[in-house]
Structures are given as C-alpha cells and as structure tokens.
Amino acid sequence: MDRAPIDPDGPSPHGEPSAPLVADGAGAARASASGGVVFTPLYGAHSDDPLCYHLRVGRLHLLLDCGWTDLLDPDLLQPLRAVAPAIHGVLLSHPDMAHAGALPYAYAHLGLRAPVFCTVPVARLAQLMLYDQFLARRAAEDFELFTLDDIDGVFDGAVCLKYAQPHTVGDEHHGVSVTPLAAGHTLGGTIWRISKDTEDIVYAVGFNHREERILGRTVLETAVVRPAVLVADAGTAAVAAVKRKQRDAALVDGISSALGEGGSVLLPVDTGGRVLELLAHLEHVWGAMGWAHPVLVATGESYSMVECAKGMLEWLNPDTARQFDASRTSPFNFKYIRLCHSVEEVEETPGPKVVLASLASMEAGFARALFVRWAPDLRNTLLFTSRAPPGSLAHTLQTQDVRFPVVSVSMSARVPLEGEELREYEEQQRQQQQLAMDAARGGQGDAEAEAEQGGGRTPRGGRRVMQGRRRRRGRRPRGRWWMARMQPSPTPRLPPSDVFCEGFSPLPLAPFPRALPSHGAARSREREGWVAGPVFPFSEGGGGGGRWDEYGEVVDAEGLAAVVEQMRGPIRPTASGLEAAGVDMAALAEAEDALALMERPSRVRVEHVTVQVNCAIRFVDYEGLADGRSVRTMLAHVQPLKLILVHGTAEGTAAMQQQALAGICSECVAPRAGESVDLTADLATFKVKLTDDIFRTLHFNKLPGDYEVAYVEGRLHPSSTPPPPASLSLLPRITGPPLLPTRSGSGAGGQGGDGGEKVQGGDGEGQAGAEEGGASGGGGRPLMELVPVGGEGEDARRRAVMVGDVKLNEFRVLLQAHGLQAGFVNATPVSTAGAAVLKCGDSLAIRKVPDHRVVLEGSISDDYYRVRQMLYSQYSTL
C-alpha cells in the first residue's frame, strides 16, 4: 500500500493542511497526484460493514455515505481519519445508521467540516435517528462519543436538494456536479449521479425496484443510461425474490398468531428508516381487520418522527399523493397507532399488544429493555423485519440454531446519586469551582496590573475587564452576599463579575425593607440572599477595559444577542396545544423527568442478566431492497461501461461479479477496503480545438433531451498559436492511448512531415466548451488542433454512424400502435444476458446481442422493410 499525498494545489476546503490519502499501487498514486479519478472503499467492502467510500475527482474529494454500526466502535472509523479534513462534500443516501451513523463523531473528533448533501427527508430523519441513538445511550451509560450539539452541527449546514436537481460541489473550477435521483427503500432515499464534463459516475446503493404502500420505486433504469462508472450494492446478491403479497401475509400471520395466544409482539426498528412504511402497513391492516389490540411506537423521537413525515407528502409515491389530494387525509394521521416515550408507559397498557421499539440492533433503547422482560413468556413473539449488524444482540438471536436459547444481556440504567456518593460529588464540584475562580481571579489581577501601568486604560481591542474604583489603602473584605454565593450548591453558579464591581463590598438588605416590593422578581431576589448596590461600574478616565469611540463604549452585538436569547429561552408549545395535537401529557412529563435525570448528579448501574428466550423468534424481510435477480436485471438495463461492487459478503460479491462479467459489462471490479480503483482511463477526456473550416461543415442532429451530435473527421495537428478565450473545443471520449503526447517529426498518418494523425468521432459524447491554459492542455500535453483532411487519394466514403438506444419494450408498443402484432418470445423483455427476442408477426424477429447491437431477422417482405424503417427512425444517423 502506497501513500499518495493530496495535490498541493488542491488544499482542503477549510484552509487546513491536506491529509494524506491511501492509494493502492503506483498507478493509483500517480493518478491521484496528477488530479485523476480514484475510488477507494474506506470500509464496507466484501463485508456487511456500514458504507463509507472516498471518491476523488481531480482536486475534489467526496465522501459517499458515512455509516457506523450500533456497536459504535471508533476503531472502525480509523480509515476515515486520514481523509476527513480534506473532504469537500458528503453525499448521504439514506437516513439510517449504516449510511449516516458516523457523521457526528467525524465532525466532533475526525476533523470533518464539509457540508452534507442530501434530500430534505434524509436530513431530517437522519437527525432524529441520531437523536434517538444519543438518548438511548445517554440514559444507560456515560456516553461521550458525540453530543446533541454535534448532531445539530452536522445538519445545520446541510445542503438539501430535490430529486433531479443538479448542484455544483466545491468551486466552479472543479467542474463537478451532483444530482440526487429517487432510490426507493426509504423516504427521500437517493441515488447520486456525479457528473464531470461529459461523463457520469453513478453511486447506487440501497435501491428498490418495487413500489410500496407509501414509498415509490427507483428511477435507476429510466434516468441512468450507460454511465462511465456505476458503483452498485452487492448486499442482496444472495437474496431471493419474494412477492409483496407474500411478505405482507407473513407479517400479518406472525402478529396474529401471537395476539391470538394472548401474547405480545416486539418489532425492533430504527427511527426514521423503514419504520414509516411499516407503520403505514400496520395502520391499513388494523383498519381492514378491525383488531382492538393496541399498536405502540416506543422510540425516543416517535412524536417528532411522525410530525416530520406529515410535512413530506410530496416525497411519497404518486398513488399516495393522489389519495391525499382527493381526501386531504395524511397517511400518517394514525387512528390505531399510539406513540409512547418510555418502557413504563408500554407496560401500563393492558393486554396483548404490538410494540415497535428502538433500537433495531437491540444494543440499547426500549427494544432491549422490553426483550429482557418479554422473552421468558412462551406466548410472546420477537419479530425482526431487517438483518441486524454482526456482533449485536439482534444478530445473535437471528442466527441462533437452538429453539430456546439462553443469552446473557448487560442492562444498564442511570440512577441519581444519594448519600455518601452525592456528598463526594458535591465536594469534587466545589473543588473544581474553587480552582476555576482562583484562575479567573489571577487573570483579573494581571489585567488590573497592566491597566495601572498603562494609566488605567486597557488598550483598544484588548480583553474587557470590568473593574471598580480602586482604594489606595487596600480592599475591603467581601460581603455576605459573596460568601453566600460561594457556598456549595447542586448547580454551581459562577460569580456575577460582569454585574458587580471588583472590590465593591455591598451592604446586605435589611429584613423585609419597606422599599422592597412584597411580590415579584425583587422579592424573590431578597429571599435568595441578593443585595442592593450599584450595578454600573465606574473607572476614572472612562477606561473600564472596553473599547470606546466618540459615542461611548462599543457594545458587543453578538454577546448582547446571546444574552437576550438566553433570557427569552426556547419557545415551548402550550399544554392545550399539545393536548389538541394528541400528545400524551403524562408520557411527555416522564420524558422530561428522564432528561432532567441526565442533568442531575447520577451514575450508571450495570446489571448482567441471563435471559431464557422462550418466546418465538421470526424474521420477515421488510427491508425494501431489490433482490439479487432484480439487481442484475436493472444493471443490464443501465449498461455501465465499468461496474464497481461494494457492500456485500465476500461470497455474494464474488458471485455477482462473475454474473456481471458474463452478461452486464466487460469490466467489473470489487475492491476491498483500502484498495483504490483508478478510474482516470475510464473518464479520460481530451480537448481538441476545432478550426473554423471544420466547424462550418458540421451538421448537428437533435437527440432526446438537450443534446446535439455531429460527425467530425480530420487530422490532429499541434496548435501553433494559443486559442482565444472563447474558442470552441471538442471533448471526445477516447478509450485508447493518448493522442500525440509529443510532437513527432514523422507520423504514420502524416502528410508532408507535419506529424498529423487522423481522427474520427461521432459517438454522440462530444461537448463544446472553452479552452483554458494557453497553448498547453492539462497534464503537460500540447494543445491539439483538428484540421480538415487534405491530400489526394483520400477515401471520403465512410459508414453511417447511428446514435441512440432502442428499448425493445418501447419498440413493441410502437409496432402495436402501427397495427403490427408484436410480443416477446420469453417471459421477460430483457434477460441477464441481453438475449430477449421480440417477435413481429409470423416471420420477423428482433433481438439484442451482448455488444449492444440490434438484429432484425426474417424473410424479405413488405413488413420487413416497414419494420426496418421504423427501427432506423429510432436512431440519429450521422
């Protein structure tokens, strides 16, 4: 493994020194140093680890997902530490731990400062998912890996995009844009198209080809056509196809059998992932069946999750959107589902019940606590709807071979400090407070000494120290107010040095003075030991340690705004408003008490419990991912020039790689974690200047979309003069060796010893742009000029070039519209090998061969010429 340093001309986006990048082999290192395109899996390759990949496009560094497991092992993120400071943008695909779990830790400890690019649902649901993860951990342990502020810091600067909305990443000179496309699987789930010049790199992980109850299907087949590179997910390579009706029936059967026996059902889920689709289905089932058993959602952010989903109806499938337009009823206005916020509230609900509790891995949260309580009961059922990450409690239960296993579970809870523990804590806090005050007093004394030496004035722009009028014969001792403030308190408060003057000794108030109001804030301050006295400091010469101008002392606007915001406090909804919204006020009070317990002095109590698992354990695949056969079919439709497989077991990745090489594309790689793939050759574009003589002879044909294509033929000739700033340039995609890397005295195709070389292009992938950099192109190559073909004996004849792509399924509809009988011989229009046959009438057949050619076979007849003409009309002929 070689380390390739980041290009010194491409600093990190935040002005920090660029971190070294790991590249596999000298070729990848050279590509990195020259500004090429390199793809490196940091982790999540040849395994079921979460997803995190690094993509370098020139000087731009992108991070494709940033996942973590519920085990929260920092060692897994070590490969991310080397590249995090240099990242320009993070592309987020789905709002779950496998795709977004490591973001707050990376921002807090690894130096990641790049903005996150995602859709609105992914940003909001991922934030709630991380909130739930933090609350579950903080309630059971001294959790310090990240905080709520770290989570907010990640998503406060997120760039939220709509589907099919291109956005430029980094500076404009990078020339890279990203476009989110619908992936299905989760609300707002995304496939990313990364465009550089005329080439596309598509990152497609976790997509679903089926439309579900509220979620739509992916647009991978329709919106992506022949990308240069496709990064695909091999995680479901070994998963067999299951019809949606069979899956829903298995889920209902597992629930009904447990409820019929008088037991309860526990479904471990994650906040913001697949739980919304699951809730919508359970709401439909309860309405159709008329069951009276309650359905409870026990997550730390259940209320916020449902309220968030109510405002994102435009991201649901078209059928759900039409139903909402007709009835004005949101699919998330649940009638049979109740939201809970504690295990006690779930236990207080009598009778058999169905509970969806977090976390899905059962490493923490309500699901772990309910499992310990319900597992010994034979009537209960533990129903998994997703595959758990290896090493978790859920994975252990899913892979158990015995019928009634025995597992050891560590249960931890936070309890308040009492007795001797509380006294020790208070003494420790008092000592820390005393040390902080001594340090502050020492710093203030130094500032005062400097002020005396400088004539009682602090230099402009220096630290502002509020000081009182100094006595020449020493200071008076501090009063009782100060001593009262120094007494130990469960909630330590800093001395208000910004209000009372240093050295001022105020007199205590007389008991119940007449001038003091008998109610209100003044009365409260008197009872708490406050004293009366001047609150405006005075310093001879108007120093005061602050900055002064002609209007007086300069006010710190930011500090004043922060104080005002702190005095106002957060805007909280009223109790009546919450009750009208259907919020359980008792559960809300319990949740607030739990949060208050986290702030009070407390400790973590750990108890190891041995659980006899007598309940039934079932698994229903409700992940909403395309199965292995469907993935291969969609990849055959997309027809990528190069395929990269990530995120899957070693066996599944190897099997899909063999199948891809057999019928999908000619080049398929599956790098391991830390191995780099150099994509520079696959994305190589060379700028060629078109002379005016050639450009005037071009005939452009319109293609679907906003593209025009023309056929060009000429000779490459080194340019003798630098191009003007607005000169036209052609960028053909060249897969062979570079064209004329150096000027030669004699060439094979030369004429008159000019070293020219003949080139042809008409593949429809050219683009006009502006030349840059004078007479030399990037990488030290001389600028090439395309001149007309001259000389005697040149063969001007050439074969026609047909640009376009014919989909047999769409062509079948066209034939039927013109009165011709057409249908596929086999069951599916496209097979994995691309050998589907479209039969037209009794004597004609149309098929596609693996090299993307369309073959028309049949006897000569009027229908033959008619079908051939219709087939030609689907192409642009050059």
Side-chain angles (χ1 to χ4, degrees):
M1 300 289 292
D2 299 331
R3 275 190 190 274
I6 293 180
D7 192 343
D9 295 333
S12 66
H14 319 289
E16 302 173 358
S18 298
L21 298 181
V22 177
D24 183 66
R30 287 193 299 270
S32 177
S34 62
V37 182
V38 180
F39 175 83
T40 306
L42 301 181
Y43 49 86
H46 287 267
S47 67
D48 290 329
D49 290 340
L51 298 83
C52 186
Y53 313 105
H54 173 252
L55 177 66
R56 171 168 179 157
V57 183
R59 298 175 181 175
L60 185 72
H61 300 269
L62 297 176
L63 195 65
L64 309 180
D65 286 325
C66 188
W68 212 1
T69 64
D70 285 341
L71 301 179
L72 302 182
D73 182 11
D75 294 338
L76 179 64
L77 308 182
Q78 289 304 315
L80 179 59
R81 184 182 298 274
V83 302
I87 297 298
H88 294 83
V90 182
L91 306 185
L92 206 58
S93 301
H94 298 283
D96 53 16
M97 281 294 295
H99 296 82
L103 281 175
Y105 183 85
Y107 273 75
H109 303 284
L110 304 183
L112 183 63
R113 294 296 181 269
V116 174
F117 297 89
C118 57
T119 59
V120 176
V122 169
R124 186 62 180 135
L125 293 176
Q127 190 174 15
L128 295 177
M129 178 270 300
L130 292 171
Y131 282 168
D132 193 17
Q133 182 75 234
F134 173 83
L135 294 176
R137 298 289 182 172
R138 187 68 176 84
E141 61 182 284
D142 295 327
F143 188 72
E144 298 179 353
L145 292 179
F146 56 85
T147 64
L148 294 176
D149 292 336
D150 296 331
I151 300 174
D152 294 337
V154 171
F155 295 98
D156 285 346
V159 180
C160 296
L161 305 174
K162 297 180 180 180
Y163 284 147
Q165 176 187 353
H167 182 84
T168 302
V169 181
D171 299 333
E172 294 182 357
H173 69 271
H174 288 137
V176 177
S177 64
V178 296
T179 305
L181 304 172
H185 177 53
T186 58
L187 186 63
T190 306
I191 290 174
W192 289 100
R193 179 168 58 199
I194 306 163
S195 303
K196 171 68 173 177
D197 293 332
T198 59
E199 305 292 355
D200 293 336
I201 302 174
V202 178
Y203 176 65
V205 294
F207 52 86
N208 189 8
H209 66 294
R210 297 176 179 175
E211 187 171 295
E212 299 185 87
R213 186 166 300 278
I214 62 173
L215 299 177
R217 62 189 303 271
T218 182
V219 297
L220 179 62
E221 295 178 275
T222 57
V224 179
V225 179
R226 290 187 63 78
V229 179
L230 174 63
V231 182
D233 188 354
T236 59
V239 176
V242 179
K243 294 183 178 180
R244 176 183 165 185
K245 291 184 178 180
Q246 296 177 355
R247 180 198 66 179
D248 294 345
L251 181 68
V252 173
D253 179 67
I255 294 176
S256 61
S257 60
L259 297 178
E261 296 177 359
S264 298
V265 182
L266 174 61
L267 291 84
V269 295
D270 276 331
T271 299
R274 292 284 300 171
V275 64
L276 294 174
E277 176 70 23
L278 193 57
L279 289 176
H281 179 64
L282 292 180
E283 177 77 6
H284 171 76
V285 170
W286 253 246
M289 298 290 186
W291 290 344
H293 304 288
V295 180
L296 309 179
V297 182
T299 68
E301 296 291 338
S302 57
Y303 174 78
S304 300
M305 176 188 65
V306 175
E307 290 300 314
C308 172
K310 289 180 180 179
M312 299 180 181
L313 301 180
E314 68 272 16
W315 298 89
L316 305 180
N317 59 35
D319 292 340
T320 305
R322 283 192 292 268
Q323 292 176 5
F324 174 77
D325 293 338
S327 61
R328 311 305 297 177
T329 301
S330 171
F332 302 111
N333 289 333
F334 298 128
K335 182 178 179 181
Y336 306 99
I337 298 174
R338 185 159 60 91
L339 309 180
C340 301
H341 299 85
S342 66
V343 176
E344 289 73 18
E345 185 179 357
V346 174
E347 293 288 1
E348 291 175 358
T349 305
K353 60 188 76 70
V354 177
V355 181
L356 290 80
S358 61
L359 302 169
S361 63
M362 301 177 65
E363 283 298 298
F366 301 145
R368 189 181 184 93
L370 291 174
F371 164 75
V372 173
R373 300 186 184 188
W374 292 3
D377 194 338
L378 287 169
R379 299 172 299 173
N380 296 332
T381 297
L382 179 61
L383 200 157
F384 292 102
T385 58
S386 62
R387 295 170 180 83
S392 62
L393 175 60
H395 184 267
T396 301
L397 295 172
Q398 291 179 9
T399 56
Q400 284 288 342
D401 296 331
V402 297
R403 182 175 181 183
F404 299 110
V406 178
V407 296
S408 178
V409 181
S410 298
M411 297 298 298
S412 56
R414 188 173 294 277
V415 295
L417 297 181
E418 297 177 351
E420 186 64 26
E421 293 179 340
L422 180 59
R423 285 190 292 271
E424 292 178 359
Y425 174 82
E426 291 176 350
E427 179 64 24
Q428 182 182 5
Q429 293 297 315
R430 183 164 53 250
Q431 293 177 1
Q432 293 179 359
Q433 181 182 3
Q434 183 65 36
L435 293 175
M437 291 176 55
D438 292 343
R441 188 181 300 111
Q444 188 173 7
D446 296 341
E448 291 174 356
E450 294 177 2
E452 285 184 351
Q453 295 176 4
R457 301 180 65 90
T458 302
R460 293 180 179 270
R463 180 183 177 187
R464 182 174 60 180
V465 180
M466 302 187 71
Q467 55 186 4
R469 192 170 186 175
R470 298 179 55 86
R471 294 180 178 268
R472 300 183 181 276
R473 296 184 180 179
R475 302 180 181 178
R476 294 179 57 187
R478 294 186 174 92
R480 286 189 298 171
W481 177 86
W482 182 268
M483 301 303 296
R485 296 284 289 179
M486 290 298 297
Q487 295 300 319
S489 173
T491 305
R493 294 185 294 178
L494 295 177
S497 59
D498 58 339
V499 177
F500 286 92
C501 307
E502 176 66 23
F504 176 75
S505 179
L507 296 176
L509 287 173
F512 302 98
R514 294 182 179 180
L516 188 66
S518 59
H519 62 279
R523 184 67 174 179
S524 300
R525 290 195 296 269
E526 187 275 332
R527 291 180 178 176
E528 294 178 1
W530 288 67
V531 295
V535 294
F536 296 97
F538 174 77
S539 176
E540 292 182 357
R547 294 187 298 111
W548 291 74
D549 56 14
E550 57 272 19
Y551 297 102
E553 188 176 2
V554 177
V555 178
D556 184 4
E558 295 182 358
L560 180 61
V563 172
V564 172
E565 186 66 22
Q566 184 178 4
M567 294 175 61
R568 288 179 177 175
I571 301 177
R572 297 176 58 87
T574 61
S576 59
L578 292 175
E579 291 178 356
V583 179
D584 191 341
M585 300 304 298
L588 184 59
E590 292 179 0
E592 291 180 350
D593 293 341
L595 291 176
L597 178 59
M598 294 187 217
E599 302 300 331
R600 293 201 302 265
S602 60
R603 66 178 179 87
V604 176
R605 181 182 61 192
V606 180
E607 181 182 1
H608 298 281
V609 181
T610 300
V611 181
Q612 176 68 49
V613 184
N614 296 328
C615 64
I617 300 178
R618 296 195 176 204
F619 177 81
V620 177
D621 189 354
Y622 221 88
E623 291 183 315
L625 294 172
D627 58 276
R629 181 175 179 273
S630 300
V631 170
R632 293 189 293 271
T633 302
M634 285 188 286
L635 295 182
H637 274 288
V638 176
Q639 299 176 355
L641 300 180
K642 187 169 188 175
L643 179 63
I644 299 178
L645 297 178
V646 296
H647 191 237
T649 61
E651 297 78 8
T653 302
M656 180 168 284
Q657 185 178 12
Q658 294 178 358
Q659 294 167 351
L661 292 173
I664 297 178
C665 61
S666 59
E667 188 172 1
C668 177
V669 295
R672 297 183 179 274
E675 295 180 357
S676 297
V677 179
D678 182 12
L679 306 176
T680 307
D682 302 283
L683 302 175
T685 58
F686 299 87
K687 292 187 177 182
V688 180
K689 177 185 175 183
L690 289 180
T691 60
D692 294 339
D693 294 337
I694 283 189
F695 187 76
R696 283 193 294 266
T697 62
L698 297 182
H699 299 282
F700 288 92
N701 291 351
K702 184 73 175 178
L703 292 180
D706 298 331
Y707 300 98
E708 293 183 351
V709 64
Y711 186 91
V712 179
E713 184 175 9
R715 288 186 181 278
L716 282 178
H717 187 281
S719 179
S720 58
T721 58
S727 63
L728 290 170
S729 61
L730 185 71
L731 286 77
R733 184 179 59 81
I734 302 175
T735 58
L739 298 175
L740 266 70
T742 58
R743 179 167 181 141
S744 175
S746 61
Q751 205 169 30
D754 60 350
E757 188 167 314
K758 187 173 180 180
V759 62
Q760 296 181 359
D763 57 358
E765 301 188 19
Q767 176 180 336
E771 278 292 337
E772 301 176 356
S776 295
R781 295 191 181 96
L783 180 65
M784 306 310 298
E785 190 176 56
L786 197 63
V787 298
V789 178
E792 300 178 359
E794 291 284 353
D795 189 1
R797 295 175 298 175
R798 63 174 177 85
R799 297 184 60 182
V801 177
M802 306 183 72
V803 181
D805 184 28
V806 174
K807 297 185 181 299
L808 295 184
N809 196 20
E810 298 176 358
F811 191 65
R812 174 182 62 85
V813 177
L814 179 64
L815 293 175
Q816 293 175 350
H818 284 77
L820 297 174
Q821 295 182 357
F824 290 101
V825 174
N826 49 2
T828 58
V830 176
S831 65
T832 57
V837 178
L838 176 62
K839 185 178 180 180
C840 182
D842 297 330
S843 59
L844 299 178
I846 305 173
R847 59 186 176 88
K848 274 189 175 183
V849 293
D851 59 353
H852 309 297
R853 291 185 298 113
V854 178
V855 179
L856 174 62
E857 300 173 330
S859 58
I860 300 298
S861 61
D862 293 340
D863 289 342
Y864 175 86
Y865 290 105
R866 184 182 176 187
V867 172
R868 189 183 70 170
Q869 186 62 32
M870 295 172 60
L871 191 60
Y872 284 165
S873 65
Q874 304 301 306
Y875 293 93
S876 295
T877 306
L878 305 180

